[in-house]
């Protein structure tokens, strides 16, 4: 079945550092890919998405490119802020089974 | 637009008791999802509705969990009887468009269930 694998956390960075959170997926068909963010005590919020190969999703300074050849959707940000501290989830939908599938989440901690 | 509303926000029950959660999706969103998020894990889909019909409930433990979406709007998720391993956050989400979820999902704040 479909699956999503994220890098283990926590990822700890200093403010203004470069961020990469790796995400790879396994799916049949042509899934849509997503990154969600969960701030403490809140529900998940859609951060960005890409619906086909080579698409780049972007929002709030975060970017991710749908790489079909490497089955990856890595999340990047050039300069993180303390307010970016949260748990980030990679997800896919519309693969072989249509069941939305989430990764385990990667915690990001940004220090001043 | 108003977000996805869920209630209650927190619930503590003893094992073998029953509990129900309520969700009101974003107006016009035909697809509604219930997820279970155990601490330290990603959300796991329990059931997916398209209007008032079930699209997928393959991961719903049907011996104790049930869900309905009358009139294709609000939905309730029930657990009866609860077990200790049901302790989790129960998230409701809704989506515009097809059940593929290509537009992404809007999540509610969730109900944190603790079974003691």
């Amino acid at each position: 079945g479909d699956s999503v694998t994220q890098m283990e956390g926590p990822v700890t960075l200093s403010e203004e550092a470069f961020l990469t959170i790796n995400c790879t997926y396994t799916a049949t068909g042509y899934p849509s890919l997503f990154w969600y963010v969960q701030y403490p005590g809140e529900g998940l919020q859609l951060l960005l998405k890409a619906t086909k190969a080579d698409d780049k999703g972007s929002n709030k300074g975060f970017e991710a490119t749908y790489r079909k050849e490497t089955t990856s959707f890595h999340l990047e940000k050039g300069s993180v802020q303390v307010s970016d501290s949260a748990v980030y989830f990679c997800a896919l939908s519309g693969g072989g089974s249509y069941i939305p599938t989430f990764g385990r989440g990667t915690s990001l901690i940004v220090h001043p | 637009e108003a977000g996805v509303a869920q209630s209650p926000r927190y619930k503590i029950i003893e094992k073998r008791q029953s509990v129900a959660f309520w969700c009101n999706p974003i107006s016009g969103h035909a697809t509604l999802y219930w997820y279970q998020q155990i601490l330290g894990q990603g959300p796991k889909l329990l059931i997916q509705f398209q209007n008032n019909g079930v699209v997928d409930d393959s991961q719903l433990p049907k011996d104790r969990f049930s869900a309905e979406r009358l009139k294709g709007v609000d939905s309730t998720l029930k657990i009866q009887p609860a077990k200790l391993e049901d302790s989790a956050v129960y998230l409701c989400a809704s989506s515009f468009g097809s059940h593929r979820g290509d537009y992404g999902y809007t999540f509610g704040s969730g109900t944190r269930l603790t079974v003691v």
Side-chain angles (χ1 to χ4, degrees), chain A residues 43-59:
Chain A
L44 280 76
Q45 302 174 26
L46 178 64
L47 180 59
L48 54 85
K49 65 180 173 74
T51 58
K52 61 183 188 296
D54 300 325
D55 269 3
K56 177 185 284 187
S58 62
N59 186 25

Side-chain angles (χ1 to χ4, degrees), chain A residues 30-32 34 36 38 41-44 46 49 51 89 92-94 98-100 102-105, chain B residues 9 33 35 37 40-43 45 48 56 58-59 91 99-105 107-109:
Chain A
Y30 302 95
S32 294
F34 307 88
Y36 286 84
Q38 187 173 34
E42 299 184 13
L44 280 76
L46 178 64
K49 65 180 173 74
T51 58
F89 293 90
L92 68 82
S93 175
Y98 290 142
I99 293 177
F102 284 78
R104 296 176 66 91
Chain B
R9 191 68 193 272
Y33 312 78
Y35 287 87
Q37 186 179 16
Q41 299 183 18
L45 181 71
Q48 178 179 345
D56 192 289
S58 59
Q59 301 185 109
L91 295 166
H99 62 270
R100 277 176 53 97
D102 286 347
Y103 296 93
Y105 320 103
F107 283 85
S109 297

